[in-house]
Amino acid sequence: MPALIYIHIPKTAGTAMRNFLCQHFAPEECYQVGESKQYRQGLVDMPSAQRDSLKLVFGHICFGWHELLTQDCIYTTLLRNPVERIVSLYYYIRSSGNHYLHKETEGMRLYDFVTSKISMTMDNGMVRQLCQDEDFMKIPYADMKLPFGSLNYNHLNEAKLNLELYFPIVGTVEQLPDYMSLLCKTMGWDIATLPVENKVPHPPIEHIDAKTLTAIEDIVQLDMELYKFTERLANEKAASLLRGE
């Protein structure tokens, strides 16, 4: 079985997925990536025998980490309705005292947060991670390749192509049972459900004022197209698996 690379997009059930996936591999077979850029270099500098034995790479990473490994790899990820994801991100940051943006967002309303450019993952973050741009989480780094607002349809098309070619397992949070079925069948595991973790209550989308909702929609236009594309692609992959293709 090829090594599995899980791209954890913030606020897409990633904590629960990490705990679930790690149950199926020995600790020495897993490489969990943290927020520092040093984790990428750590994988490069890892002794080749240790690196070649990895079966799971997981974290807030972008497409392209397979290039650091010599073994065969497959990718998987979960996407989420982009508007829901941004709202969930805001309320998670505000409720989590140890989040790196908690103090910086103190006193911010949702609208202030959305228009602050304080986190790159708000700016079509799903496209960012899946089109192979490495920096996406925090305020732009000095060497940011894609500054806030600079993504375009070329990046969207790259993300779509990567999902088609490299992600035999892909799904959405809104269709989580279907994703779990596809994942478990592909990996040869018993079908399982995913417990809810790190879920923070927030107002329903229909209760968000029009000004704030428009501000969110403006920064997730490409993500929304990618999300709709992923819904269709996930259904196609699931149907193909059922046909035994």
Side-chain angles (χ1 to χ4, degrees):
M1 177 64 68
L4 184 66
I5 300 176
Y6 188 95
I7 294 180
H8 176 193
I9 297 169
K11 301 313 297 172
T12 59
T15 300
M17 280 304 308
R18 178 194 63 208
N19 294 338
F20 172 76
L21 290 173
C22 288
Q23 296 174 13
H24 294 84
F25 301 99
E28 64 273 14
E29 296 174 331
C30 303
Y31 188 72
Q32 184 173 336
V33 181
E35 305 302 340
S36 169
K37 294 182 180 181
Q38 296 177 352
Y39 283 89
R40 186 179 179 94
Q41 190 61 43
L43 185 57
V44 173
D45 295 338
M46 186 180 293
S48 57
Q50 181 182 354
R51 186 171 58 245
D52 292 346
S53 68
L54 293 176
K55 295 183 180 179
L56 174 66
V57 176
F58 183 105
H60 289 306
I61 59 179
C62 296
F63 175 81
W65 281 56
H66 66 284
E67 297 172 352
L68 307 179
L69 302 172
T70 58
Q71 61 267 53
D72 291 336
C73 300
I74 58 174
Y75 282 88
T76 184
T77 192
L78 278 166
L79 281 73
R80 183 177 182 179
N81 178 287
V83 176
E84 286 276 358
R85 192 177 78 87
I86 297 301
V87 174
S88 177
L89 178 66
Y90 167 76
Y91 282 97
Y92 174 67
I93 290 171
R94 294 308 311 137
S95 68
S96 178
N98 60 357
H99 192 280
Y100 72 92
L101 288 177
H102 181 78
K103 289 185 178 179
E104 294 183 62
T105 57
E106 190 170 358
M108 282 189 180
R109 300 168 302 161
L110 177 57
Y111 177 81
D112 301 327
F113 173 73
V114 171
T115 57
S116 67
K117 301 184 179 180
I118 200 168
S119 174
M120 301 305 290
T121 193
M122 293 192 296
D123 179 40
N124 292 302
M126 297 193 296
V127 171
R128 280 184 179 274
Q129 285 185 250
L130 297 173
C131 76
Q132 200 166 351
D133 177 63
E134 193 52 42
D135 298 326
F136 69 95
M137 286 292 289
K138 301 183 181 180
I139 293 173
Y141 299 103
D143 60 347
M144 176 64 67
K145 289 178 282 186
L146 296 176
F148 209 102
S150 67
L151 276 80
N152 56 46
Y153 275 89
N154 289 332
H155 301 115
L156 172 62
N157 291 332
E158 288 174 11
K160 287 180 177 179
L161 184 60
N162 289 337
L163 285 174
E164 285 186 300
L165 296 180
Y166 295 94
F167 289 72
I169 315 159
V170 67
T172 67
V173 171
E174 289 75 12
Q175 297 173 312
L176 189 55
D178 293 339
Y179 169 82
M180 291 300 294
S181 178
L182 179 62
L183 171 67
C184 292
K185 287 179 180 178
T186 301
M187 300 300 295
W189 301 334
D190 292 336
I191 303 296
T193 57
L194 199 66
V196 176
E197 299 186 37
N198 276 352
K199 185 175 181 179
V200 177
H202 61 76
I205 298 302
E206 55 267 26
H207 290 179
I208 296 175
D209 64 275
K211 180 182 177 181
T212 301
L213 187 59
T214 298
I216 298 174
E217 292 171 344
D218 283 346
I219 60 173
V220 299
Q221 291 182 29
L222 299 179
D223 267 3
M224 185 59 76
E225 292 202 31
L226 185 65
Y227 172 76
K228 292 177 180 177
F229 171 84
T230 301
E231 284 185 311
R232 296 191 298 270
L233 183 63
N235 290 335
E236 292 171 3
K237 290 182 180 294
S240 176
L241 182 64
L242 289 175
R243 293 194 300 265
E245 297 178 359

